[in-house]
Amino acid sequence: HVQLVESGGGSVQAGGSLTLSCADATYTSDTPDSSCMGWFRQAPGKEREGVVTFYTTRNNTRYTNSVKGRFTISRDVAKNTVYLQMTSLKPEDTATYYCAARRECSGNWYETAFDLSEYNYWGQGTQVTVSS
């Protein structure tokens, strides 16, 4: 049973933009307020890495340095959907992008924002390809 569903991936040229969506079926009225939503990516032959984490309670974010100023995470509570707006895309952004949900974010959420083991739910991924 898939609970996080990503969409919006595709192929673009360098400098282009894409917006990814993550429909979160895990989020209910019982979901703790202390949740985090994250976007991760994995390029061929490389380990999965964190892109951005959004701490819902504090409305805070942490971006990996390589995407700062180019990527923006946002959330539509009514739709239980998280978005990743990507602009000024580079060939090195090419990867499969995964949405992840973490139900128990704590005070050290920032330090563990990109720790894969902290996330309870994962989507199946959406491919982003950026050509030069």
Side-chain angles (χ1 to χ4, degrees):
H1 178 63
V2 179
Q3 296 177 301
L4 294 177
V5 180
E6 302 98 334
S7 61
S11 297
V12 296
Q13 290 193 329
S17 301
L18 282 173
T19 297
L20 307 182
S21 300
C22 172
D24 181 6
T26 72
Y27 192 88
T28 70
S29 58
D30 294 328
T31 299
D33 290 337
S34 57
S35 322
C36 282
M37 296 295 297
W39 284 97
F40 294 75
R41 65 186 180 187
Q42 187 166 17
K46 294 188 177 181
E47 293 185 351
R48 193 171 299 188
E49 63 174 358
V51 176
V52 59
T53 291
F54 176 61
Y55 186 13
T56 59
T57 302
R58 298 180 183 177
N59 202 29
N60 281 355
T61 57
R62 179 182 177 183
Y63 292 89
T64 193
N65 288 337
S66 63
V67 308
K68 285 181 180 178
R70 300 189 299 121
F71 290 12
T72 303
I73 190 171
S74 62
R75 178 181 177 218
D76 186 327
V77 176
K79 296 182 178 179
N80 286 347
T81 300
V82 175
Y83 302 96
L84 181 65
Q85 183 179 8
M86 305 183 295
T87 63
S88 301
L89 283 161
K90 305 175 181 180
E92 51 264 43
D93 294 319
T94 294
T96 300
Y97 283 70
Y98 298 89
C99 176
R102 173 179 171 182
R103 292 298 172 235
E104 292 295 337
C105 273
S106 65
N108 70 338
W109 76 273
Y110 190 88
E111 291 77 10
T112 59
F114 300 146
D115 187 343
L116 276 64
S117 65
E118 294 286 342
Y119 288 80
N120 309 104
Y121 304 97
W122 290 87
Q124 293 181 318
T126 184
Q127 179 66 37
V128 172
T129 302
V130 184
S131 58
S132 57

